[in-house]
Amino acid sequence: MSLESDTHLARDLSVSALRLNRRLRLRHTSDRIPVGQLSILTTVFREGPMTTRELASRERIKPPSVSRSSHALVEMGLLERVPHPTDRRQVLLTLTQAGRRIASDDVAERERVLAEQLESLTDSQRGALAKASDILIRMVERVE
């Protein structure tokens, strides 16, 4: 591939990923939680309890931002702080029952919307997307 076609492909991937993410996030199931806080809930839902620093790293945001957002989520009764099992100086952020329900509903809704779109594709198109998904996951893991 030429540099020009790589640049066009990069642009197309970037635009489509941003638009897909935006449209899925705008459909989120809770009207009372800002999208950034919902992202924190779904990350803890998918990856399990973690420290503020770990969460900041996964979300690619600064620890003070995670600290503010997690504090708000604790106040709403959606997250709780529990003692770290091996380091008494730290706490883990974990979901409450209410937080788990909201995160689960949000993830299920996004997956339902995507599954609905997949229904209209051919087997060949689904196979191509499966391969592309694997490639994109590896690319995301390499981007710092």
Side-chain angles (χ1 to χ4, degrees), residues 23 39 43 47 60 71 83 90 114 137-138:
R23 288 181 183 166
S39 181
T43 296
E47 299 186 29
R60 302 274 192 214
H71 180 73
Q90 295 190 59
L114 287 172
I137 288 168
R138 286 194 303 274

Side-chain angles (χ1 to χ4, degrees), residues 65-119:
S65 296
V66 170
S67 186
R68 280 190 302 277
S69 291
S70 64
H71 180 73
L73 290 165
V74 167
E75 297 238 331
M76 286 188 261
L78 302 176
L79 272 184
E80 61 185 344
R81 292 181 176 94
V82 298
H84 193 286
T86 60
D87 185 347
R88 296 175 63 134
R89 298 168 296 164
Q90 295 190 59
V91 295
L92 294 176
L93 298 169
T94 187
L95 294 172
T96 63
Q97 251 342 85
R100 181 170 303 287
R101 188 172 41 256
I102 287 172
S104 174
D105 289 350
D106 185 69
V107 168
E109 174 63 10
R110 281 190 260 159
E111 290 173 355
R112 184 195 65 73
V113 168
L114 287 172
E116 203 173 81
Q117 294 303 310
L118 292 173
E119 288 175 4

Side-chain angles (χ1 to χ4, degrees), residues 1-137:
M1 262 196 174
S2 71
L3 180 60
E4 185 176 324
S5 58
D6 281 350
T7 301
H8 288 301
L9 177 58
R11 183 196 62 222
D12 290 348
L13 284 171
S14 178
V15 168
S16 61
L18 287 170
R19 285 181 180 165
L20 178 61
N21 188 43
R22 184 180 313 122
R23 288 181 183 166
L24 291 173
R25 284 186 156 196
L26 288 174
R27 298 178 66 102
H28 76 82
T29 57
S30 176
D31 294 333
R32 68 185 184 120
I33 302 171
V35 171
Q37 291 176 0
L38 186 63
S39 181
I40 287 172
L41 288 180
T42 58
T43 296
V44 174
F45 175 74
R46 286 187 168 147
E47 299 186 29
M50 62 186 70
T51 65
T52 301
R53 184 171 302 285
E54 291 169 328
L55 188 53
S57 174
R58 287 205 177 71
E59 289 289 299
R60 302 274 192 214
I61 56 179
K62 297 190 183 313
S65 296
V66 170
S67 186
R68 280 190 302 277
S69 291
S70 64
H71 180 73
L73 290 165
V74 167
E75 297 238 331
M76 286 188 261
L78 302 176
L79 272 184
E80 61 185 344
R81 292 181 176 94
V82 298
H84 193 286
T86 60
D87 185 347
R88 296 175 63 134
R89 298 168 296 164
Q90 295 190 59
V91 295
L92 294 176
L93 298 169
T94 187
L95 294 172
T96 63
Q97 251 342 85
R100 181 170 303 287
R101 188 172 41 256
I102 287 172
S104 174
D105 289 350
D106 185 69
V107 168
E109 174 63 10
R110 281 190 260 159
E111 290 173 355
R112 184 195 65 73
V113 168
L114 287 172
E116 203 173 81
Q117 294 303 310
L118 292 173
E119 288 175 4
S120 66
L121 302 180
T122 66
D123 288 343
S124 174
Q125 290 170 320
R126 280 192 198 95
L129 273 178
K131 288 177 186 173
S133 177
D134 290 340
I135 294 166
L136 286 169
I137 288 168

